[in-house]
Amino acid sequence: MRVLVIIPAYNESKNIKSVIESLKREAPQVDYIIVNDCSKDNTAQICKENYFNMVSHPINLGIGGGVQTGYIYALTNNYDIAIQMDGDGQHDPKFIKDLIRPIINDEADIVIGSRFINGEGFQSSRMRRMGIRFLSSLILFCCGAKVKDVTSGFRAVNKRFIELYANNYAQDYPEPEAIVFAKLMGARIKEVPVIMKERNSGKSSINKWKSIYYMIKVSMAILLYRATFEMGD
Amino acid sequence: MFFILIIVFIRKKAFSLKHSLLWLLAGTCLLISAIFPEIIDTLSSILGIVSPVNTVFVLIIFFILVILMSITSIVSKQSEKIKRLAQYNALLEKRVREMENEKNRIDRSA
């Protein structure tokens, strides 16, 4: 089983080195690829100097485009499992083996690392938890996928979904949409408990004001996805 | 007024024939209705519009909406294509960079 960790990074010059080092230490058997989404700081330079495995977008595509580049890379290099892991140190590489185990045992197509199952570690603010709970029930209602931590960017997918995601991945705030897409394509989705940390440094891609836009956009996207899928099928 | 529009359209044709077809269609319709105003009058009475000029506005709004929609669809397709280009460009850049690193290494050891 060849495993690839996809690390989307945007302006993560402060975090990226420690993320890669802890990944190499905790999970030496897996390969990784950093997707530098046209960072404005010297993320690319740091990666080059340290000979990290990195692709670098010429223009900023957003998180969805970056993750998709990772999936295209996984597809062309024939990986069996791809794992998404944020480049800001929120996700601990020691959980990688928990994420890939259900796929190796062929129990699931997609495994999502959830911070809410055991309720340990960084739980995010109250408002965000409410938003996540709302999206979670919306997804359950729309496509019957039972996922608690729908916005988790820590997930593993098998070969079939590497290919599907390489061809079709949502753009702006892709995590919840990717779940809906996968479920509609017949994925077996499993959640495993992970412990997330608060990000080391730098700002989250979603701030207070954007979160309202985020909720509306993602809800619309989920509903639209559902509707167009029925028509197209 | 419609003649000016048409001239603008014909000039637009120089940009891209594919995308100016809708404009030409709209312009032709408006030109025909300018030459034969009876069309507008009959259309008004069919639709129950009292003032014929409102029919002209309805027509124009209709064309504008259709053209806007087609532009939105073109924009969506293009952004998808640009995204693909950027992604494959990034993957190629990585391969080139690695080849250069390899070449430098060989050159230095030689």
Side-chain angles (χ1 to χ4, degrees), chain A residues 54-119:
Chain A
M54 174 200 62
V55 292
S56 207
H57 286 162
I59 47 176
N60 181 269
L61 296 182
I63 174 84
V67 170
Q68 192 177 32
T69 304
Y71 281 121
I72 295 170
Y73 180 84
L75 184 67
T76 50
N77 291 286
N78 239 334
Y79 281 96
D80 300 302
I81 297 174
I83 297 166
Q84 279 169 242
M85 192 177 100
D86 284 359
D88 56 10
Q90 266 193 79
H91 303 150
D92 194 331
K94 77 178 176 211
F95 293 106
I96 284 175
K97 58 181 189 312
D98 297 332
L99 281 177
I100 60 179
R101 196 178 299 121
I103 293 180
I104 290 171
N105 296 339
D106 200 28
E107 291 163 8
D109 299 307
I110 293 179
V111 182
I112 296 165
S114 170
R115 74 200 113 163
F116 299 135
I117 291 183
N118 289 351

Side-chain angles (χ1 to χ4, degrees), chain B residues 31-107:
Chain B
L31 184 67
I32 291 169
S33 58
I35 298 168
F36 309 103
E38 309 85 54
I39 297 173
I40 295 294
D41 293 336
T42 40
L43 206 63
S44 307
S45 58
I46 291 168
L47 294 172
I49 297 167
V50 180
S51 163
V53 74
N54 280 342
T55 314
V56 178
F57 287 140
V58 166
L59 264 180
I60 291 172
I61 290 169
F62 169 75
F63 282 126
I64 288 173
L65 280 180
V66 170
I67 289 165
L68 264 181
M69 274 176 173
S70 82
I71 283 174
T72 309
S73 111
I74 290 165
V75 167
S76 305
K77 277 183 207 142
Q78 283 187 343
S79 66
E80 178 65 25
K81 283 179 187 169
I82 291 169
K83 188 188 81 180
R84 284 273 133 163
L85 272 177
Q87 288 171 327
Y88 282 93
N89 171 293
L91 292 166
L92 272 179
E93 187 268 344
K94 174 180 182 296
R95 285 173 61 188
V96 171
R97 178 160 29 89
E98 276 166 2
M99 276 179 200
E100 278 174 349
N101 283 348
E102 189 71 2
K103 190 171 160 287
N104 287 342
R105 209 173 51 83
I106 292 166
D107 285 354

Side-chain angles (χ1 to χ4, degrees), chain A residues 191-210:
Chain A
E191 257 186 312
V192 297
V194 298
I195 298 167
M196 288 192 195
K197 285 175 263 185
E198 206 162 351
R199 43 189 300 119
N200 292 347
S201 60
K203 264 195 297 191
S204 162
S205 56
I206 302 163
N207 65 33
K208 233 178 200 171
W209 293 107
K210 271 190 192 158

Side-chain angles (χ1 to χ4, degrees), chain A:
Chain A
M1 285 279 189
R2 296 181 68 219
V3 181
L4 177 77
V5 179
I6 299 165
I7 304 166
Y10 179 64
N11 294 347
E12 300 288 7
S13 58
K14 293 192 191 77
N15 300 319
I16 194 73
K17 210 172 165 191
S18 63
V19 168
I20 298 300
E21 274 160 7
S22 76
L23 177 70
K24 281 177 176 166
R25 197 171 53 238
E26 301 278 355
Q29 72 282 10
V30 300
D31 295 339
Y32 68 91
I33 179 97
I34 301 165
V35 184
N36 168 40
D37 194 13
C38 199
S39 297
K40 290 196 200 84
D41 62 3
N42 55 352
T43 305
Q45 206 191 332
I46 289 168
C47 293
K48 277 179 192 165
E49 276 165 8
N50 293 287
Y51 293 100
F52 289 158
N53 201 23
M54 174 200 62
V55 292
S56 207
H57 286 162
I59 47 176
N60 181 269
L61 296 182
I63 174 84
V67 170
Q68 192 177 32
T69 304
Y71 281 121
I72 295 170
Y73 180 84
L75 184 67
T76 50
N77 291 286
N78 239 334
Y79 281 96
D80 300 302
I81 297 174
I83 297 166
Q84 279 169 242
M85 192 177 100
D86 284 359
D88 56 10
Q90 266 193 79
H91 303 150
D92 194 331
K94 77 178 176 211
F95 293 106
I96 284 175
K97 58 181 189 312
D98 297 332
L99 281 177
I100 60 179
R101 196 178 299 121
I103 293 180
I104 290 171
N105 296 339
D106 200 28
E107 291 163 8
D109 299 307
I110 293 179
V111 182
I112 296 165
S114 170
R115 74 200 113 163
F116 299 135
I117 291 183
N118 289 351
E120 287 174 78
F122 177 57
Q123 292 288 308
S124 192
S125 67
R126 237 187 102 203
M127 277 302 288
R128 282 199 192 175
R129 280 207 305 279
M130 268 169 60
I132 290 168
R133 208 173 301 145
F134 170 73
L135 287 179
S136 172
S137 33
L138 187 66
I139 287 176
L140 178 65
F141 171 72
C142 282
C143 63
K146 260 193 208 122
V147 179
K148 273 192 180 141
D149 198 352
V150 287
T151 57
S152 164
F154 199 20
R155 44 181 73 178
V157 312
N158 68 3
K159 200 159 189 175
R160 178 169 170 240
F161 281 90
I162 290 176
E163 198 177 339
L164 286 171
Y165 279 157
N167 292 320
N168 188 338
Y169 202 78
Q171 283 276 318
D172 276 4
Y173 305 110
E175 289 89 3
E177 270 182 82
I179 294 175
V180 176
F181 171 71
K183 187 69 190 175
L184 293 176
M185 299 306 281
R188 295 164 296 165
I189 300 172
K190 200 180 166 190
E191 257 186 312
V192 297
V194 298
I195 298 167
M196 288 192 195
K197 285 175 263 185
E198 206 162 351
R199 43 189 300 119
N200 292 347
S201 60
K203 264 195 297 191
S204 162
S205 56
I206 302 163
N207 65 33
K208 233 178 200 171
W209 293 107
K210 271 190 192 158
S211 55
I212 298 165
Y213 169 68
Y214 176 94
M215 289 299 296
I216 295 168
K217 192 255 165 193
V218 171
S219 308
M220 285 297 294
I222 291 167
L223 292 170
L224 273 176
Y225 229 103
R226 177 74 237 190
T228 51
F229 188 81
E230 269 172 1
M231 275 190 268
D233 208 43

